[in-house]
Amino acid sequence: MRLENYVGGQFVPARSAATLDDIGPATGEVITTLPRSGPEDVDDAVRAATTAMEGRWGRATVAERADLCDAIADRIEAELDRFAALESLDTGKPVQLARTVDIPRAVSNFRFFAGAVRHGRTSMHEMDDAINYTVRRPLGVVGLITPWNLPLYLLSWKVAPALATGNAVVAKPSEITPLTASALADVVHRLGAPPGAFNLIHGLGAEVGQAMTEHPGIHGISFTGGTATGKRVGAAASATFKKLSLELGGKNATIVLDDADLDAHLATIARASFANQGQICLCGSRILVHRSRHDELVERLVAHLGTLVVGDPRDPATTFGSLTSHAHRDKVESYVRLAREEGGTVVYGGGRPVLPAPLDAGAFLQPTLITGLSPSCRTATEEIFGPVVSVHPFDSDAEATALANSVRYGLAAAVFTEGLTRAHRIANDLQTGMVWVNCWLKRDLRVPFGGVKDSGVGREGGDYSMGFYTQDKNVCIQL
Ligand code: NAD
Ligand code: 6OD
């Protein structure tokens, strides 16, 4: 199996014929190769997308666009096992997680935006002597750049609204996890979508992503990834006045108040910390807990972590897989060392699990819980993006909020309390784009998704995505 780009309805190698290896992180073995594309391949894709907008795809009706999204959803759903196996192989995540979260969510993304565009509304503003009506038109050619942690989930979160609203897409998935993006291109191809409506270019961020953000033929960029990369994307995209959506990093707080019902919520607190091996931008990598509940929470979390099944991602019984690359594990491990230097006590994990061959060569790291760190130390304030979570006591709701707000990021937070008034007050005072109360990652696809501070610019989801991928035109008629 060799992956190829998908340009103008054809599967093609990079013009240079250069390739990159795709490594399966659970074993370190090469799974396949992918094109190491360059600016010339991006040019080809933009040309194909522009031609599509000038041709059949640009004239597609709302019903045709919605039907295409529904058909993509149906195909992915019908091939759930294949997609889940590919996602697990590429990322090291448990296949069961891919089967129950990643792939079903990709299906929902396509179905949701098919429905959204079918039921879309525009506005009319009446004056005494004139009427204004506002129409929504696609942006044109949009560039979609995505990370490795939830490959198809996040790619489809962008492709679905972009196609539903009538844009032509140039997509660039992470070079670390290209498999399901290629499987999506295969589905689009088999469905006979108009050539050039969906184009896929594989390759490195600095080579393909950078060329996309600089390309004058791309009218908008939706980027999900790290904050440092987001800065580069923003700077490059501004030179050609591209519309921009940036979903970036986080250092989210899970706040456990003195009245939290741990019997009801312990499993959610653990999931918020360690789901997908802690590699979800929304994971609560800092647990702030009222001092009166600190020891109880730590003890119960340690017991819970002991029940996780670390091992072969292909095994349906596995609940904790490998990290997505060896380089990333090196980075996460460096934070465990740093935490020890900063005076932390590792109360669970901290090392590599002992696993049989070939998993012994995989990028595994135990779920790791650390106490005793200052909330202002590097471990507690920098994004680690892995299964390393620190626990910090506080004495008042005001202190919890201040600690939560003390970092440069502002993506999400979760609050656990039985007190409704306290929950409202804390939710109001938190400097984040999203707050969950007594739950985590509960998703209604209509609500705004995005962060403040260094966690990004703009919102995606529901009307926010429909607005991002379109431009409004007002027509004023004198009566
Ligand atoms: P990354 O920033 O390294 O890469 C993301 C994507 O950008 C990849 O496709 C990469 O190839 C590309 N890229 C790299 N350099 C580029 C450049 N100069 N120009 C254009 N594109 C470039 O991020 P990652 O390591 O793949 O993912 C982890 C990061 O993503 C974490 O910081 C995490 O918090 C963040 N993330 C955020 C969200 C969110 O919704 N806020 C969701 C998932 C991940
Ligand atoms: O749920 C979503 O819509 C979303 N964008 C999740 C992002 C998760 C980050 O890793």
Side-chain angles (χ1 to χ4, degrees), residues 145-150 154 172-176 203-213 223-230 232-233 246-250 279-282 328 331 383 385 409 411 434 449-451 455:
I145 303 175
T146 49
W148 46 254
N149 61 325
L150 302 170
L154 291 175
K172 189 219 128 12
S174 169
E175 58 276 21
I176 298 169
L204 299 173
E207 296 172 357
V208 174
Q210 189 74 24
M212 286 168 63
T213 54
F223 170 85
T224 298
T227 295
T229 318
R232 280 196 287 279
V233 168
L246 299 175
E247 301 287 354
L248 309 177
Q279 303 167 125
I280 300 183
C281 59
L282 306 161
H328 186 56
K331 176 192 147 183
E383 186 185 45
F385 209 59
Y409 296 104
L411 189 57
M434 295 165 280
F449 184 101
S455 290

Side-chain angles (χ1 to χ4, degrees), residues 12-23:
V12 290
R15 275 184 180 257
S16 67
T19 59
L20 298 164
D21 285 342
D22 181 20
I23 310 287

Side-chain angles (χ1 to χ4, degrees), residues 188-367:
V188 168
H189 188 68
R190 279 185 279 144
L191 287 171
F198 175 79
N199 304 277
L200 177 69
I201 302 291
H202 287 292
L204 299 173
E207 296 172 357
V208 174
Q210 189 74 24
M212 286 168 63
T213 54
E214 288 171 359
H215 203 293
I218 291 184
H219 308 108
I221 293 275
S222 177
F223 170 85
T224 298
T227 295
T229 318
K231 263 187 201 160
R232 280 196 287 279
V233 168
S238 67
T240 44
F241 301 110
K242 289 180 175 51
K243 205 168 174 184
L244 201 56
S245 172
L246 299 175
E247 301 287 354
L248 309 177
K251 186 75 184 179
N252 310 301
T254 300
I255 302 175
V256 181
L257 300 190
D258 50 346
D259 65 351
D261 181 348
L262 288 185
D263 291 338
H265 301 306
L266 187 87
T268 305
I269 294 168
R271 196 169 64 86
S273 304
F274 294 103
N276 202 39
Q277 296 70 246
Q279 303 167 125
I280 300 183
C281 59
L282 306 161
C283 278
S285 48
R286 299 179 289 156
I287 299 179
L288 311 178
V289 54
H290 191 271
R291 197 175 298 280
S292 65
R293 307 292 298 279
H294 176 276
D295 293 354
E296 175 196 0
L297 177 68
V298 170
E299 196 178 308
R300 293 181 73 166
L301 274 175
V302 165
H304 184 92
L305 294 179
T307 68
L308 295 180
V309 183
V310 183
D312 189 342
R314 292 171 307 174
D315 184 339
T318 296
T319 53
F320 195 91
S322 79
L323 302 202
T324 299
S325 72
H326 290 73
H328 186 56
R329 182 184 56 184
D330 290 347
K331 176 192 147 183
V332 176
E333 277 183 329
S334 79
Y335 275 99
V336 179
R337 284 194 297 278
L338 177 68
R340 290 192 165 108
E341 285 160 26
E342 289 181 321
T345 304
V346 174
V347 292
Y348 192 89
R352 300 179 182 184
V354 178
L355 294 168
L359 303 173
D360 56 346
F364 289 86
L365 185 65
Q366 293 169 311

